[in-house]
Amino acid sequence: MKNGERARAGHGSPAAPGPTAGPGPTPAPGPTVVGREAEVAEIRSRIAADRSHSSVLIVEGDPGAGKSVLLDLAVRLTRGTGQRVLRAVGSESEAPLAFAGLHQMLRPVLDDLGGLPARQRSALRTALGLAEDAEDAETAETPDALLVGLAVLTLVSDLSEPAPLLVVVDDAQWIDRASLDVLSFLARRMAGEPVTLLMGVRAAAVLPGFDKGYERLEIGPLSGDAANRLLDEQPKRPTGRTRARILREAAGNPLALVELARATADREPEGSGVEGPLPVTDRLEGIFARHVRHLPEATRRALLLLAATDAADAPAAARGLPEAADTVWAPAERAGLVRQDGTGVSFRHPLVRSAVYHAAPFEQRRRAHLALARQLGEEPDRRAWHLAAAAVRPDEQVSAALRETAGRARRRGGHAAAAAALERAAELSPHRADQARLLADAADTAVFTGQLGWVEHLAAGVRERSDDPALIGRAALATGRLLTLGPHHTAAFALLSRVADEAAATRSPRLLDALAAAAVVRYYSGEESQRQRIEALLADVPDSAAGGALRAWVLAVSDPSGAGASLAAALPRLIAAAKGEAGSLTALAVVAWLLDRTPLAARTFDEAFGRWQAHGPLPAGLACAAGWAYLEQGRWADARSVAAEIAEVASGAGLDHAEACARTLDATVLALLGEPAEARGSAERALALVDPLESRSVAVLARRALGLAAVAEGDYDSAYAQFRAAFTEDGDLVHYHVSPTVLAELAAAAVRRGHREPAARLLERSARHLGPGMSARLFLLVERGRALLAEPERAERHFRAALAGEAGEQWPFERAQTRLDYGEWLRRQRRVAEARPLLTGALDTFRRLGARPWIDRAKAELRAAGIEADAAAPGALTELSPQQQQIVRLAAHGLTNREIGEKLFLSPRTVGSHLYRVFPKLGITARAQLRDLLDDALQATGSAQ
């Protein structure tokens, strides 16, 4: 099947799954799979013993279609070859528990965590709640979601070292969101690993992170012939009218066929829940519930207790289940409701659990939950949810227990679980004021899940329960912050503006928070009226030391070349005053970047990231600024890492604008590295994610990346068109901050395509608009553009101005471009001796950065100037892919495969595989030779002079 293709298929008869995870003896063959020859062949191909690459397959179908049969078959076949299996099964009751699915999957291999790098091990242990004691759990830092994902990737890679690994997740629609995010990260990053991931999910269920880009095996109804064969295999094969009715009612659903055949064999009265207009799932639940009614009372109580458990194999829960298995469970096993094996007692199908639970009166369910809560004194989170399930009225003690659960979940990075616990705590709180406060807390926390509908629902709950402007504004601000990361910036600004108005009227300190979020929207949209509105409201904010960083943020983001420009001199003082507080440092680093204080921005980002304690899986406003600062400083590998992080979390959360920002950053680096096809794909994806009128910053950045990709291919017609799109037809800036950075590129393309005069008019119009607030970087870019567009007798003074002083060295690629342009101009003026140092300096920088198209241009110019600049080592390096170049450079600095993997979010095996392939290309045989090779590459231009 091709990537993303849906294969219309059926499935087989239901079967009992094997143990949840880990190696073990070869299992029994299992029941025959009827009518699923194509699907069985697909599964067999995925788990072939000699597989050496990764594979992800989503197996989806209706309840009872037999998804579990195929997954069980995969498990049996894999274990039969002695290979390891990790397995998890989702359940509705565990969905609110952060990382419950991941813990279930990794439980058999927890002893292997000791082999992980320290930071990864700590993050994963914290996420799984494995702190050594309660004090450790309280003081542990919130784990970075990406670091948890990387830890699982490294662990899975290690486990697959001896033999291919199979990871099976059934009923994935009920896996908790934190675990699902980790699985999504694993699926995207395990390329090249001998790991197969099989995900079973109900048809039409939303599975965040797996909704696109993966192959799907869609399990449809059995054919008529296969349905009849399945009925023939039943202990009492139905015949005549009864058979015809079963075939009609089951509609090809294997579980329905088996259970309806069982029901008629037991001589149930005609029409007693086995026919009618109900969906197949409801009919099956009715059948299972009817089976329960005929069981002994002790068995019914045991089944209900089992149905109410959070995890059937949880030791504490198991203590509450009857011990006389032979006498209590045997009737349920004979009725086909449960199965017993070495791991204990479990339901044969999730529909059985649902039927048992919902068929019982509420009072019986309540008593079951209370019984389990009494057994779970050592598992406070499960205990709290059982108490909540048993609550019939507001209960302050249960509400408090859920608040504590929320705190623990938040510290472990389980924001969805924390928000759910706070929401339920609000429902159980006896006081409306506390309900509103808890719902506002839940809204703040739910922001980190990316689920806008949920945050809006929580905010609505605050409004229903309180008229406190502070609480209402806080909930609305949470909604607005999440809206900023989506594509609808007009709506986001309107909401944030309303929050700011209300905060100003009540002199609330939340006014500055609202304006800071609104400034992010202003940057993304580029809308001038929004700047005016922000500045009017900012006038009502008093100066204070506490608000200094946020005030700087708002001014610089809203108007970097105007009001924000005066902040440049104060930045070092403000950064020093931040005293290492990560949030303030990040905000000030963004300000430094906007004001083109690039080295200061990069240093401050580095310090902030070194101190940062992750607050959740979403990128903060303008998070891509760090990547742009790194790119402008020449740290292209770091820029791509930032883009990868943001794209990972934003795509998983459905935050289209945040993902688009990351993709434009990556597209730009790809274009500079000489990967135009990949750059175009990433830039076009970014444009498809946003409305260019709502997200002008992304639109202009994406057009600039497309223009650079065209330059890399020598297509200056396309390059000019893309760069020109950064300006209106009248020549105004489309985006107040991004468009000016395109001026020099526009001039270079215009000269090559005969558009010199209109480009010169546009450049001068932009320079007048920027005025005296123009940064040093923009001044150098404008001077380069003027030099390229000027008549020969006037060009040199602009070239000299563009290269004057040392300030331009902080933007190495742009500096090298100017040197290349000036060197070309000098050579054409027959001043070859003057051109050579400029051209060799440009080539040196391009080689260091890996900018292949510009390397070729500089070498061609040097040859024309009488210098042969070829050198084997640099040429070999530039032939590597961008990712391989990053790996080589990090390895040359002494980093291990694991350390490189942690920086680039790759498994150690993937890093090693890349190095194995590039050594022959570089003409080396040992890792120790990498540093010398890179040193030779950097010195090559000097020897060519």
Side-chain angles (χ1 to χ4, degrees):
M1 291 185 294
K2 294 181 180 178
N3 195 33
E5 181 182 22
R6 291 179 176 267
R8 177 64 63 177
H11 230 312
S13 58
T20 54
T26 302
T32 304
V33 180
V34 177
R36 306 302 191 186
E37 292 76 13
E39 292 72 33
V40 169
E42 177 66 27
I43 291 295
R44 286 182 179 275
S45 72
R46 298 281 173 165
I47 60 171
D50 61 348
R51 65 188 187 277
S52 59
H53 59 279
S54 64
S55 176
V56 179
L57 182 66
I58 314 298
V59 181
E60 65 177 14
D62 291 327
K67 303 179 296 295
S68 296
V69 176
L70 288 179
L71 299 182
D72 293 339
L73 175 66
V75 170
R76 291 197 305 275
L77 293 174
T78 301
R79 287 198 173 121
T81 63
Q83 298 176 40
R84 192 186 291 261
V85 178
L86 297 178
R87 191 171 193 186
V89 180
S91 70
E92 290 177 283
S93 58
E94 287 206 335
L97 298 172
F99 296 108
L102 188 64
H103 189 279
Q104 183 187 160
M105 185 181 88
L106 298 181
R107 186 171 56 245
V109 295
L110 292 179
D111 290 344
D112 294 286
L113 299 191
L116 294 174
R119 291 179 64 238
Q120 295 180 31
R121 181 176 64 252
S122 176
L124 184 54
R125 288 183 58 84
T126 301
L128 296 177
L130 299 177
E132 296 299 330
D133 51 40
E135 184 177 347
D136 288 345
E138 291 294 326
T139 58
E141 293 184 357
T142 302
D144 185 309
L146 290 176
L147 197 55
V148 174
L150 182 60
V152 174
L153 175 64
T154 304
L155 179 62
V156 164
S157 178
D158 289 348
L159 292 173
S160 66
E161 186 72 35
L165 176 71
L166 174 65
V167 180
V168 173
V169 181
D170 202 358
D171 282 315
Q173 72 279 354
W174 291 328
I175 292 289
D176 65 278
R177 179 59 187 270
S179 297
L180 198 60
D181 287 342
V182 172
L183 288 167
S184 175
F185 178 94
L186 176 65
R188 289 192 295 270
R189 290 282 174 169
M190 65 184 194
E193 304 288 340
V195 179
T196 296
L197 173 60
L198 302 180
M199 303 278 287
V201 62
R202 288 191 175 182
V206 175
L207 202 61
F210 291 92
D211 54 344
K212 55 191 175 184
Y214 296 107
E215 296 179 72
R216 300 181 114 74
L217 188 64
E218 186 173 321
I219 311 306
L222 284 174
S223 67
D225 175 66
N228 275 292
R229 282 191 284 130
L230 182 56
L231 289 180
D232 287 339
E233 290 193 357
Q234 301 312 304
K236 294 183 181 179
R237 51 190 297 269
T239 60
R241 291 178 57 194
T242 300
R243 186 184 189 97
R245 192 184 111 218
I246 291 173
L247 289 169
R248 182 178 69 251
E249 292 297 327
N253 184 288
L255 186 61
L257 287 162
V258 172
E259 295 305 327
L260 290 171
R262 183 192 296 267
T264 56
D266 291 340
R267 293 180 174 82
E268 294 290 347
E270 192 78 13
S272 58
V274 296
E275 63 178 333
L278 290 175
V280 168
T281 301
D282 292 336
R283 290 202 296 277
L284 287 170
E285 286 193 345
I287 292 171
F288 294 137
R290 190 169 62 258
H291 288 327
V292 173
R293 289 198 296 270
H294 297 300
L295 296 174
E297 182 180 353
T299 302
R300 293 201 306 271
R301 286 199 304 268
L303 283 173
L304 180 56
L305 201 60
L306 183 64
T309 57
D310 289 327
D313 57 349
R319 289 198 296 270
L321 297 175
E323 296 179 2
D326 290 341
T327 59
V328 174
W329 296 114
E333 191 168 20
R334 285 195 300 270
L337 301 177
V338 300
R339 62 177 176 271
Q340 295 189 79
D341 54 30
T343 64
V345 181
S346 57
F347 287 107
R348 189 163 57 85
H349 194 279
L351 288 177
V352 181
R353 175 194 287 266
S354 179
V356 169
Y357 186 81
H358 293 292
F362 174 74
E363 184 56 33
Q364 291 181 16
R365 299 200 302 268
R366 181 173 181 271
R367 287 198 298 268
H369 284 295
L370 288 174
L372 287 165
R374 286 192 294 271
Q375 297 292 330
L376 288 164
E378 297 178 0
E379 297 194 39
D381 295 335
R382 286 185 165 89
R383 178 178 181 274
W385 279 107
H386 281 299
L387 290 173
V392 294
R393 60 184 63 87
D395 187 315
E396 178 56 35
Q397 288 185 331
V398 178
S399 179
L402 285 169
R403 294 198 296 273
E404 292 175 1
T405 286
R408 284 188 290 271
R410 203 156 29 203
R411 286 191 293 274
R412 292 165 57 195
H415 295 279
L422 289 168
E423 184 177 17
R424 182 65 174 136
E427 294 170 356
L428 292 175
S429 177
H431 307 295
R432 287 180 65 84
D434 290 338
Q435 292 171 13
R437 177 179 54 79
L438 288 168
L439 287 174
D441 290 344
D444 283 340
T445 304
V447 166
F448 297 111
T449 71
Q451 299 179 46
L452 179 59
W454 189 12
V455 175
E456 290 174 331
H457 170 74
L458 293 168
V462 175
R463 292 193 299 271
E464 291 171 3
R465 291 166 175 80
S466 176
D467 56 4
D468 182 350
L471 277 180
I472 294 172
R474 182 174 150 213
L477 182 56
T479 306
R481 281 174 169 156
L482 192 51
L483 271 174
T484 64
L485 300 176
H488 305 298
H489 292 125
T490 300
F493 190 85
L495 174 59
L496 291 166
S497 182
R498 190 162 61 248
V499 173
D501 279 333
E502 293 166 358
T506 59
R507 296 187 177 276
S508 166
R510 204 165 300 281
L511 171 58
L512 198 53
D513 292 330
L515 289 178
V520 174
V521 181
R522 147 69 175 164
Y523 184 86
Y524 289 154
S525 71
E527 177 59 47
E528 174 62 16
S529 63
Q530 293 177 1
R531 179 193 66 79
Q532 297 168 0
R533 181 79 181 118
I534 289 170
E535 289 189 357
L537 285 165
L538 196 61
D540 295 332
V541 179
D543 288 326
S544 69
L550 272 182
R551 191 180 185 90
W553 165 281
V554 173
L555 284 169
V557 172
S558 302
D559 187 17
S561 63
S566 61
L567 294 170
L571 272 176
R573 174 178 55 80
L574 290 170
I575 290 169
K579 296 179 180 178
E581 200 282 311
S584 295
L585 285 172
T586 302
L588 290 166
V590 170
V591 172
W593 170 69
L594 288 164
L595 300 182
D596 286 327
R597 299 287 301 276
T598 304
L600 179 62
R603 286 198 305 273
T604 309
F605 276 126
D606 288 342
E607 183 180 356
F609 294 164
R611 297 174 181 272
W612 188 257
Q613 295 181 3
H615 292 294
L618 299 189
L622 293 179
C624 269
W628 290 111
Y630 294 150
L631 183 150
E632 291 158 11
Q633 199 184 34
R635 294 165 57 181
W636 291 359
D638 291 334
R640 293 203 71 190
S641 294
V642 169
E645 288 184 40
I646 296 174
E648 288 278 359
V649 294
S651 61
L655 299 174
D656 290 349
H657 182 87
E659 181 184 353
C661 289
R663 291 192 180 279
T664 57
L665 171 59
D666 201 46
T668 304
V669 183
L670 286 167
L672 296 176
L673 289 168
E675 301 287 347
E678 291 183 40
R680 274 196 301 274
S682 192
E684 288 167 358
R685 171 63 178 159
L687 289 172
L689 286 168
V690 298
D691 178 344
L693 297 178
E694 291 259 350
S695 302
R696 293 184 181 92
S697 61
V698 165
V700 175
L701 286 167
R703 294 295 177 192
R704 186 176 75 174
L706 289 169
L708 288 169
V711 169
E713 294 179 315
D715 181 0
Y716 290 100
D717 284 323
S718 295
Y720 180 81
Q722 297 293 352
F723 295 141
R724 183 62 180 80
F727 306 88
T728 68
E729 289 186 10
D730 295 334
D732 291 329
L733 306 175
V734 168
H735 189 272
Y736 63 97
H737 179 251
V738 183
S739 291
T741 66
V742 184
L743 287 168
E745 299 293 354
L746 175 70
V751 169
R752 285 171 170 79
R753 303 319 304 163
H755 302 298
R756 187 186 300 268
E757 290 186 8
R761 289 195 299 270
L762 188 151
L763 184 147
E764 295 304 329
R765 183 186 182 106
S766 297
R768 288 192 298 273
H769 173 83
L770 292 169
M774 187 187 308
S775 70
R777 177 188 175 212
L778 290 181
F779 172 79
L780 297 178
L781 290 175
V782 167
E783 285 300 305
R784 177 188 168 214
R786 283 170 171 161
L788 290 166
L789 295 168
E791 296 299 327
E793 63 275 11
R794 299 173 53 200
E796 187 161 19
R797 66 185 182 94
H798 293 297
F799 275 127
R800 289 184 177 277
L803 290 172
E806 297 297 320
E809 298 298 334
Q810 59 191 305
W811 305 289
F813 179 74
E814 293 169 3
R815 187 75 153 187
Q817 283 181 300
T818 305
R819 287 191 174 111
L820 176 59
D821 291 336
Y822 190 19
E824 288 177 336
W825 184 86
L826 287 169
R827 186 186 63 77
R828 286 167 186 153
Q829 300 299 311
R830 302 184 182 281
R831 296 160 60 181
V832 175
E834 296 173 71
R836 287 172 178 168
L838 289 165
L839 295 173
T840 53
L843 179 59
D844 177 49
T845 300
F846 293 145
R847 276 179 162 162
R848 177 168 55 84
L849 296 174
R852 287 197 293 264
W854 286 266
I855 291 172
D856 293 341
R857 269 187 58 197
K859 288 165 64 176
E861 282 297 319
L862 276 168
R863 279 195 296 272
I867 294 178
E868 183 55 56
D870 282 331
L877 282 171
T878 59
E879 291 303 314
L880 303 182
S881 72
Q883 187 175 79
Q884 289 172 336
Q885 289 184 40
Q886 294 176 68
I887 290 171
V888 165
R889 293 179 192 282
L890 292 171
H893 284 88
L895 275 69
T896 66
N897 288 2
R898 292 201 169 207
E899 291 168 338
I900 296 169
E902 193 161 325
K903 280 185 171 292
L904 302 182
F905 293 94
L906 300 170
S907 74
R909 187 203 299 270
T910 299
V911 173
S913 176
H914 278 298
L915 288 173
Y916 178 80
R917 290 195 298 270
V918 303
F919 276 19
K921 295 180 182 178
L922 298 176
I924 62 175
T925 57
R927 199 184 190 101
Q929 297 173 273
L930 286 172
R931 180 176 289 277
D932 290 340
L933 183 144
L934 289 180
D935 289 344
D936 290 345
L938 292 175
Q939 295 170 7
T941 51
S943 63
Q945 292 183 39

